[in-house]
Amino acid sequence: MEKQSNLSAGEWKLMKQLWARGPATVKELTDALREETNWTRNTIITMLTRLEAKGVVGCQLGGPARRYYPLLERKDAARTETKSFLDRVYGGRVGLMMSAMVESRGLSEDDIAELSAILEKAGGRKT
């Protein structure tokens, strides 16, 4: 099954827990997310089922409780989300996004140094 990493905001919250803690039970996830989301056990189960169907979460059977773990790496999910956002909002044009960022809030010296390093590293690559 192909991994579908387009995640909803709620799915991102759940995945962040799995990326941070590794395999976890429904109870552990419910406890970890209770204060932030107030989600019930049933909500967590529904979301895990959806994430399993997308191919981004797996389940270890055995023992007293199922343990869920990420099949999708965080960097891969972030890359897909970033590309989707860039395509949807800026027609895939990085320059338009950067222009909008500069106009809306400006760039700090650290931002500029980081972007310069990224551009220098990418300079030799063809896309």
Side-chain angles (χ1 to χ4, degrees), residues 105 108-121:
R105 70 171 187 94
S108 70
E109 288 182 26
D110 287 343
D111 291 335
I112 293 168
E114 185 177 3
L115 288 169
S116 293
I118 291 168
L119 292 171
E120 187 174 314
K121 182 179 175 183

Side-chain angles (χ1 to χ4, degrees), residues 66-125:
R66 294 178 179 203
R67 298 187 68 75
Y68 294 87
Y69 57 93
L71 295 173
L72 176 68
E73 291 188 41
R74 186 178 188 148
K75 66 179 166 74
D76 293 332
R79 186 179 303 119
T80 298
E81 188 73 21
T82 301
K83 183 181 180 329
S84 174
F85 170 79
L86 188 61
D87 289 345
R88 189 175 63 252
V89 177
Y90 296 104
R93 301 206 34 221
V94 175
L96 287 176
M97 180 187 71
M98 293 306 303
S99 178
M101 287 176 60
V102 169
E103 289 175 16
S104 69
R105 70 171 187 94
L107 297 175
S108 70
E109 288 182 26
D110 287 343
D111 291 335
I112 293 168
E114 185 177 3
L115 288 169
S116 293
I118 291 168
L119 292 171
E120 187 174 314
K121 182 179 175 183
R125 278 192 272 167

Side-chain angles (χ1 to χ4, degrees), residues 25-40:
T25 65
V26 170
K27 180 176 179 357
E28 291 168 340
L29 292 167
T30 304
D31 290 346
L33 289 164
R34 179 173 289 120
E35 190 173 314
E36 179 185 358
T37 65
N38 205 28
W39 289 340
T40 65

Side-chain angles (χ1 to χ4, degrees), residues 7-17 19 74 77-78 81:
L7 303 174
S8 69
E11 290 169 342
W12 269 97
K13 288 178 185 181
L14 190 54
M15 290 299 293
K16 283 182 193 177
Q17 287 296 318
W19 288 319
R74 186 178 188 148
E81 188 73 21

